[in-house]
Amino acid sequence: MDLPMIKRKQSSPIDCCYLYRTALLLTILLFVLAPIFAEEKKDPEEERLRKEVYKYFDTTDEEAFGDAINKLRKYYKAEEKWHEMFTAWENEIVYDINNDHFYSALKKTEDMNDYIKINKHHDEEYRMDYLMGVFYGTRNNIAMCKKYLNQALEKLNDRKEYRAEASNIYMLLANILAFDSPDSATIYIDKCINISEDNRDLSAAWQMKCIIEFGKKNREGFMKAYNKNKSIKQSDAKDYNNTYEMYVEQGLACFKGRFNDALEINSKMTTRLDQLLFLTKIYEMQGDKAAEAEALKQLIKAREKWYGEISMMEINDISNDINLEQMRRETKKAYDKMAYVAMGASLLVVFFLSYLIWSRRKLVRQLMAQNQQLTVARDHAQEADRMKTAFIHNVSHQIRTPLNAVAGFSTILASQNEELTNEERQDLAKRIEHNAGIITNSLNHLITLSDIDSINIANNSEAINCHEFCREIATEFKPTNQATGFSYMSSIDQNVTVKSNKDLLKRVIMEILLNADKFTEKGGITLSSDMADGKWLLTVTDTGKGIEPGDEDKIFGHFMKIDDFSEGLGLGLSFCRSIALRLGGDVVLDKDYHDGARFIVQIPA
């Protein structure tokens, strides 16, 4: 542990002062590990993993430490303790710095920063600046070190939960400025003391305060800080931190004029650069200029040697990294060849399986289509059979019943029974006429339905005056029940015309009116004429029995009747819709009307 932390000006022995890596990294160790043991731990596995890291942190057993730190990081990641996980990651980076693997430490710092940004751990973004400050500190780039450490403080933003982190950063800033800018160092160490929450941090901070006052040759300030540190040592020996104690004792000896004692303590230091740094300070305070100059010369040589060792270490790190990368590339090439072969084979298998699946699906689709066709044919056959049955039933009932009536009434009239009055004979004649009309109408419906596709609607552009058309129908239509009223209304101007087939359209409207008359015993029937959305709407509204829910769509089918005892074959509405569709329109039932039935004939305007 003999790497210098800070590079200084070399104008005089007092200005050319260094704080070295031993002190720095022990401070870092306090920061990254002290929170681990600050609280009582409830999870024994977590405590075991932490102690394992602490056990190997200050050793050169890189394999054992790497295994311990990786297990701790995996544990925290699985538990989603992200702050602790990043602290463990910092342990790994600091360990690399402590063992002169600066290139590796820098790469791991960048990896951690990328992970923080990608996973949006914004509270941990200060770590990149903190570690970059540490890195530049080990390279004696004071300006960059100070810049990054201050950026880290800005990102911490005085948050209480990060006081330990802020305390450590203030300690490092005081460390790097201790002899070069003692006034600034004093500000930082005072901030560190103010926010430190335990005696371990406080004792280290008061010792750093002693070192700064020693550099300023301020005996009063030194003794005050020394007594604070001594008080902690006496009251809480368990949490006392002796990181800088040897440095402090040399300062105390110098202030008391015991320079030989200071030199003796200095000779026991194991870190060469730290030893030479304080040796120059001891000779300076003693006034031995020659010894001070010699110590300074040895310090400069040691520093140059150390820089050379760092450069060689970094070159070796980079060389090893290049060799590893080359091995990775060669391994990747071999793996890629195998992957391409496997991918090719997989593609062939996938293609073959896809072809089999496609062929099978094609066959299944063909079978499904054939089944669908068979289902449709079956449904058509069943519908045809139903229609045939309905047809026979309706024809036999709707034609035979009035035909029997005609025959019976005719027989009565032909008997020339003198008992019949003229009024009775006229009534029989009307009944015969009515039943004959039923038969004729039924036969006309059958003929029309059978020939509906052959009906000529070539003349579909005849100009029809909407008002006159409706007035003509209103004149011809008379309800059979005298109790049923009939009215016509229109919202269309008298000169409006529509192009269509007048005769066929008239047949449709008359059929719907006759259908309304059939089911309306009281109330009234209304024919209305309106224009909406580019359509001529001819609406027939009655106050009859209406359509039962669920029968709304059925009534337009062939031979469909809502009342089996009513006259007709159940072909009227089917006929009307078929004609309307051929005219480019439609016939629909207004399902929102519940006081009877309302049919709307829609014709393109």
Side-chain angles (χ1 to χ4, degrees), residues 78-92:
E79 296 292 322
E80 295 187 355
K81 293 183 177 180
W82 300 112
H83 183 71
E84 291 82 354
M85 192 274 285
F86 287 117
T87 300
W89 202 336
E90 277 190 2
N91 292 345
E92 183 178 1

Side-chain angles (χ1 to χ4, degrees), residues 137-340:
T138 61
R139 305 294 296 141
N140 285 338
N141 189 332
I142 304 308
M144 292 300 292
C145 175
K146 185 178 177 181
K147 171 189 172 182
Y148 277 106
L149 291 179
N150 278 301
Q151 286 180 180
L153 286 171
E154 289 177 6
K155 290 180 179 178
L156 288 174
N157 196 26
D158 295 330
R159 285 175 291 179
K160 292 182 179 180
E161 64 269 28
Y162 289 98
R163 280 189 173 181
E165 289 83 344
S167 173
N168 175 68
I169 295 174
Y170 285 133
M171 172 71 81
L172 293 183
L173 285 167
N175 190 323
I176 64 174
L177 299 171
F179 295 128
D180 187 46
S181 182
D183 291 336
S184 296
T186 299
I187 294 173
Y188 285 124
I189 199 61
D190 287 344
K191 289 182 178 181
C192 176
I193 291 170
N194 288 335
I195 65 173
S196 295
E197 297 180 333
D198 57 57
N199 287 332
R200 180 178 292 273
D201 293 341
L202 275 172
S203 55
W206 283 116
Q207 290 170 37
M208 178 57 65
K209 178 85 170 178
C210 287
I211 294 172
I212 295 170
E213 298 301 332
F214 174 63
K216 293 162 63 175
K217 299 180 182 179
N218 183 356
R219 176 186 176 87
E220 182 180 354
F222 178 92
M223 293 307 301
K224 180 180 179 181
Y226 179 84
N227 289 329
K228 289 283 188 179
N229 178 65
K230 183 178 179 181
S231 175
I232 294 174
K233 184 177 182 180
Q234 292 174 345
S235 62
D236 191 2
K238 181 180 178 181
D239 286 337
Y240 175 73
N241 183 353
N242 62 354
T243 300
Y244 303 105
E245 192 168 51
M246 186 173 288
Y247 303 87
V248 173
E249 291 301 325
Q250 292 179 68
L252 179 64
C254 288
F255 278 121
K256 290 187 175 182
R258 295 186 283 104
F259 295 105
N260 289 333
D261 292 342
L263 291 173
E264 183 179 354
I265 297 171
N266 183 268
S267 66
K268 296 177 181 179
M269 296 181 69
T270 57
T271 306
R272 180 59 175 166
L273 290 177
D274 288 357
Q275 182 184 36
L276 291 172
L277 167 63
F278 273 79
L279 190 60
T280 59
K281 296 297 294 180
I282 293 170
Y283 286 135
E284 178 188 357
M285 293 189 71
Q286 190 178 13
D288 191 341
K289 299 294 184 180
E292 179 186 355
E294 181 61 27
L296 181 59
K297 186 188 298 183
Q298 293 181 32
L299 177 61
I300 293 172
K301 288 182 179 180
R303 178 176 60 85
E304 290 175 349
K305 179 182 178 183
W306 176 75
Y307 274 126
E309 290 175 353
I310 282 185
S311 298
M312 186 57 64
M313 291 171 189
E314 291 183 329
I315 290 172
N316 290 336
D317 275 348
I318 295 171
S319 178
N320 291 335
D321 193 65
I322 292 173
N323 291 335
L324 288 173
E325 183 62 25
Q326 184 65 28
M327 291 174 63
R328 291 192 194 99
R329 289 181 180 178
E330 291 176 357
T331 303
K332 187 176 183 298
K333 285 181 181 179
Y335 174 79
D336 287 345
K337 288 180 180 179
M338 294 177 63
Y340 289 141

Side-chain angles (χ1 to χ4, degrees), residues 289-556:
K289 299 294 184 180
E292 179 186 355
E294 181 61 27
L296 181 59
K297 186 188 298 183
Q298 293 181 32
L299 177 61
I300 293 172
K301 288 182 179 180
R303 178 176 60 85
E304 290 175 349
K305 179 182 178 183
W306 176 75
Y307 274 126
E309 290 175 353
I310 282 185
S311 298
M312 186 57 64
M313 291 171 189
E314 291 183 329
I315 290 172
N316 290 336
D317 275 348
I318 295 171
S319 178
N320 291 335
D321 193 65
I322 292 173
N323 291 335
L324 288 173
E325 183 62 25
Q326 184 65 28
M327 291 174 63
R328 291 192 194 99
R329 289 181 180 178
E330 291 176 357
T331 303
K332 187 176 183 298
K333 285 181 181 179
Y335 174 79
D336 287 345
K337 288 180 180 179
M338 294 177 63
Y340 289 141
V341 172
M343 186 180 297
S346 298
L347 289 174
L348 289 174
V349 172
V350 170
F351 177 78
F352 179 70
L353 291 176
S354 299
Y355 176 76
L356 289 178
I357 294 172
W358 176 80
S359 300
R360 184 177 181 278
R361 287 183 176 177
K362 181 179 179 182
L363 179 60
V364 170
R365 284 196 297 268
Q366 290 175 347
L367 291 174
M368 290 177 66
Q370 292 176 0
N371 289 337
Q372 184 66 26
Q373 292 174 358
L374 292 173
T375 301
V376 171
R378 181 202 63 192
D379 292 344
H380 285 170
Q382 292 176 347
E383 178 65 14
D385 184 65
R386 186 197 67 78
M387 290 178 65
K388 179 191 72 173
T389 303
F391 173 76
I392 294 172
H393 174 76
N394 278 281
V395 169
S396 63
H397 176 73
Q398 296 299 328
I399 293 181
R400 183 178 58 186
T401 300
L403 188 59
N404 289 336
V406 169
F409 294 143
S410 299
T411 301
I412 294 174
L413 284 175
S415 65
Q416 299 180 354
N417 191 337
E418 296 295 336
E419 295 179 0
L420 293 176
T421 64
N422 286 335
E423 292 179 357
E424 290 174 338
R425 289 178 184 277
Q426 289 177 2
D427 181 64
L428 288 174
K430 288 181 180 180
R431 291 177 182 274
I432 292 172
E433 183 182 1
H434 174 71
N435 284 280
I438 293 175
I439 295 171
T440 302
N441 192 47
S442 296
L443 292 174
N444 286 337
H445 276 165
L446 288 173
I447 294 169
T448 301
L449 184 63
S450 63
D451 294 335
I452 195 167
D453 290 334
S454 62
I455 292 177
N456 183 14
I457 59 171
N459 185 19
N460 198 26
S461 58
E462 181 181 357
I464 303 172
N465 184 290
C466 298
H467 183 68
E468 292 180 358
F469 176 83
C470 293
R471 293 297 302 172
E472 182 179 334
I473 291 177
T475 302
E476 293 181 11
F477 174 72
K478 302 295 180 183
T480 57
N481 190 339
Q482 294 181 355
T484 303
F486 174 70
S487 62
Y488 159 66
M489 62 181 63
S490 174
S491 63
I492 304 175
D493 293 340
Q494 294 187 2
N495 297 325
V496 175
T497 59
V498 171
K499 292 183 177 181
S500 189
N501 189 306
K502 182 178 179 180
D503 292 337
L504 290 176
L505 182 58
K506 185 176 180 180
R507 290 176 63 182
V508 170
I509 302 302
M510 289 299 293
E511 183 66 36
I512 295 175
L513 285 169
L514 291 171
N515 191 67
D517 180 55
K518 187 190 305 182
F519 296 103
T520 304
E521 296 180 356
K522 60 181 179 178
I525 300 172
T526 303
L527 171 64
S528 59
S529 175
D530 305 283
M531 286 287 181
D533 299 328
K535 295 178 181 179
W536 181 21
L537 306 181
L538 294 162
T539 306
V540 177
T541 305
D542 64 53
T543 58
K545 61 191 305 182
I547 309 298
E548 293 294 330
D551 292 336
E552 293 94 336
D553 296 323
K554 296 179 181 179
I555 58 175
F556 291 101

Side-chain angles (χ1 to χ4, degrees), residues 5-25:
M5 171 61 193
I6 305 169
K7 182 179 181 181
R8 309 291 180 200
K9 297 180 291 181
Q10 300 180 18
S11 57
S12 69
I14 253 190
D15 292 328
C16 186
C17 296
Y18 301 86
L19 291 183
Y20 292 97
R21 191 186 63 176
T22 301
L24 170 68
L25 292 182

